[in-house]
Amino acid sequence: MSITSTEEIVGEGWARRTGAPGLRNHVLALSTVALTDGVTRRAASDVPGTLAITPQFERGLRGEDAALQDRAIQAIVMHPNVGAALVVTHDRSAAESLVQQLSECGKPVAVRALMACEGMDDAISRMSNDLRQMSARAVEAARVPLHLSDLTVALECGGSDASSAVCANPAIGRFVDRLIAAGGTAIVSETAEFLGGEAVVRQQSQSPEIAQAILARLEREERLMLETGQDYRGVNPTRENIEAGLTTLTEKTMGAISKIGRSSFAGCLDFAERPSAPGLYFMDTPFFSPTSLTGMALGGAQVGLFAMGVFNPSGMPLMPTLKICGNPETLNRWEGSIDVNVAALLTGAEDLDAGAGRIHQAMRRVVSGDLTRSEYWNEGQVIVPRVTAAL
């Protein structure tokens, strides 16, 4: 199946006044500091269909960490899959600041300060009422045709083994080639996973400047790793990958990097940074699936493709994530947690085009409203990394 036109409609999305359409129309209850996580979850539980996001954000952060946390809060609210949001703060000052910051977000938003309430019962009652009002307003969002070119897709892998390298990852890569050709966008992350793949970065970048920007992130990552006294190119730092048969990080890299197919990088992004134009992008993120998924989702990805060999329970609440696997044992044991079976690539019964076609059809089902298995099992967390310590 060939995908060459930006006019291909993959389903219907929800129109947003700013940015790309959403695949989902979540009513969000977002806690902006760990102090309000509990009351936010409690209020959300009173309103069916609410998505509670409680990332244990801290107070007292400095410099880059403070700025990144502020950007993350705005990116969560602005995410295409969010139709309306209640944003909960601890104090009035924080609430007033967020009201200003979110005033032009283009969707219904209420900001509530816990300390402006008269006790917990009053706080929960007010927040629940806010969420009911947000739910009523979210349904006003118009449905619009969603083209393949409207999609920003996050690319992730975990629980890697040999089958990842010959089935799930390259099947994703073949789909990514089609997506990019259609005018869509893809983001790949986990900087450490590209160590050993420098030659591919050089060959598959649209310019030497883009390649150098990515290579600079890899060099910095390797310096940080070497500070622990161990050369990670010669070992595999993840226990399940070792048990699955991978011996070195470079070996894992050559499988993981096949997720980009033959497409060329159009740019290098910081954590949670949005692409400026369609194309394939590298995002600098830590070596942990929930964190890298967070970065790509906050960078605007509406949907994720997650390759695995051994089962991995990672997910992302804001972003439906399709899990793709070609390991027959994993498919047998974790059948209820896998969205796309590409095991036929192992025997040669199907080729990469057929594998990409399976992903394409699964994507259509998700856009049409089918839950991914990750959504069904409520998998995933929002995790924003830190560089410095809190005061």
Side-chain angles (χ1 to χ4, degrees):
M1 177 169 48
S2 176
I3 302 172
T4 58
S5 173
T6 59
E7 297 306 311
E8 182 192 353
I9 297 174
V10 291
E12 282 191 330
W14 276 268
R16 303 299 179 216
R17 284 198 298 171
T18 59
L23 275 64
R24 299 289 184 261
N25 197 36
H26 291 304
V27 176
L28 188 71
L30 171 63
S31 171
T32 62
V33 64
L35 295 169
T36 57
D37 283 2
V39 69
T40 302
R41 286 192 296 267
R42 178 65 178 80
S45 69
D46 286 346
V47 184
T50 299
L51 175 64
I53 299 291
T54 54
Q56 297 184 323
F57 283 147
E58 298 183 39
R59 300 176 88 182
L61 295 179
R62 299 169 285 165
E64 292 180 32
D65 290 323
L68 177 56
Q69 186 165 290
D70 287 344
R71 291 198 304 273
I73 290 168
Q74 294 184 58
I76 292 169
V77 175
M78 290 294 296
H79 194 275
N81 292 340
V82 172
L86 166 66
V87 182
V88 181
T89 72
H90 176 256
D91 56 83
R92 292 179 177 87
S93 176
E96 291 169 0
S97 176
L98 278 170
V99 166
Q100 292 182 339
Q101 293 174 32
L102 299 172
S103 61
E104 302 296 327
C105 71
K107 61 184 68 173
V109 174
V111 180
R112 179 72 64 181
L114 175 64
M115 299 308 291
C117 300
E118 302 295 329
M120 279 297 180
D121 286 336
D122 179 60
I124 292 167
S125 176
R126 290 176 185 236
M127 293 175 192
S128 297
N129 286 334
D130 289 336
L131 287 168
R132 292 186 186 95
Q133 292 178 24
M134 293 298 102
S135 295
R137 296 186 64 187
V139 298
E140 298 172 0
R143 300 300 301 273
V144 294
L146 196 148
H147 300 82
L148 197 65
S149 58
D150 291 321
L151 293 179
T152 297
V153 180
L155 311 178
E156 184 61 65
C157 61
S160 300
D161 65 4
S163 76
S164 302
V166 297
C167 296
N169 282 322
I172 289 174
R174 185 62 56 90
F175 175 80
V176 167
D177 287 340
R178 299 173 173 189
L179 173 71
I180 300 304
T185 302
I187 306 173
V188 66
S189 64
E190 286 200 28
T191 305
E193 281 200 343
F194 277 72
L195 294 176
E198 290 83 356
V200 177
V201 171
R202 292 187 185 95
Q203 293 165 6
Q204 293 186 222
S205 291
Q206 292 182 8
S207 71
E209 292 76 18
I210 291 171
Q212 187 51 49
I214 298 171
L215 293 172
R217 306 303 178 95
L218 303 188
E219 291 167 4
R220 185 184 66 182
E221 184 75 13
E222 187 161 29
R223 284 198 304 272
L224 292 173
M225 288 180 163
L226 289 171
E227 288 176 3
T228 67
Q230 195 168 28
D231 181 359
Y232 277 74
R233 290 179 187 257
V235 300
N236 193 314
T238 309
R239 175 56 56 186
E240 63 265 28
N241 295 155
I242 297 171
E243 293 174 351
L246 299 184
T247 59
T248 69
L249 183 58
T250 299
E251 191 174 61
K252 183 176 188 295
T253 292
M254 299 318 293
I257 206 168
S258 64
K259 292 195 299 293
I260 70 172
R262 297 175 180 173
S263 299
S264 295
F265 286 112
C268 179
L269 305 172
D270 290 327
F271 186 91
E273 182 181 357
R274 285 182 177 249
S276 58
L280 172 67
Y281 289 81
F282 173 87
M283 181 179 283
D284 185 16
T285 73
F287 186 54
F288 186 43
S289 295
T291 312
S292 57
L293 285 168
T294 296
M296 292 184 287
L298 299 192
Q302 306 119 305
V303 61
L305 300 178
F306 195 117
M308 62 182 60
V310 178
F311 178 67
N312 186 303
S314 295
M316 166 35 61
L318 287 168
M319 177 183 71
T321 303
L322 286 157
K323 295 193 173 179
I324 300 153
C325 182
N327 183 319
E329 181 179 346
T330 301
L331 288 160
N332 182 56
R333 293 182 59 199
W334 297 93
E335 180 182 5
S337 295
I338 308 295
D339 298 280
V340 183
N341 179 341
V342 291
L345 273 67
L346 278 178
T347 62
E350 291 185 357
D351 61 13
L352 287 178
D353 282 328
R358 287 180 177 272
I359 295 170
H360 186 191
Q361 292 305 316
M363 183 76 73
R364 283 181 169 275
R365 293 193 293 271
V366 170
V367 173
S368 297
D370 285 6
L371 294 181
T372 64
R373 304 314 296 166
S374 182
E375 289 177 293
Y376 177 82
W377 294 115
N378 294 316
E379 292 174 333
Q381 310 82 26
V382 172
I383 303 178
V384 175
R386 276 180 42 195
V387 178
T388 56
L391 293 171

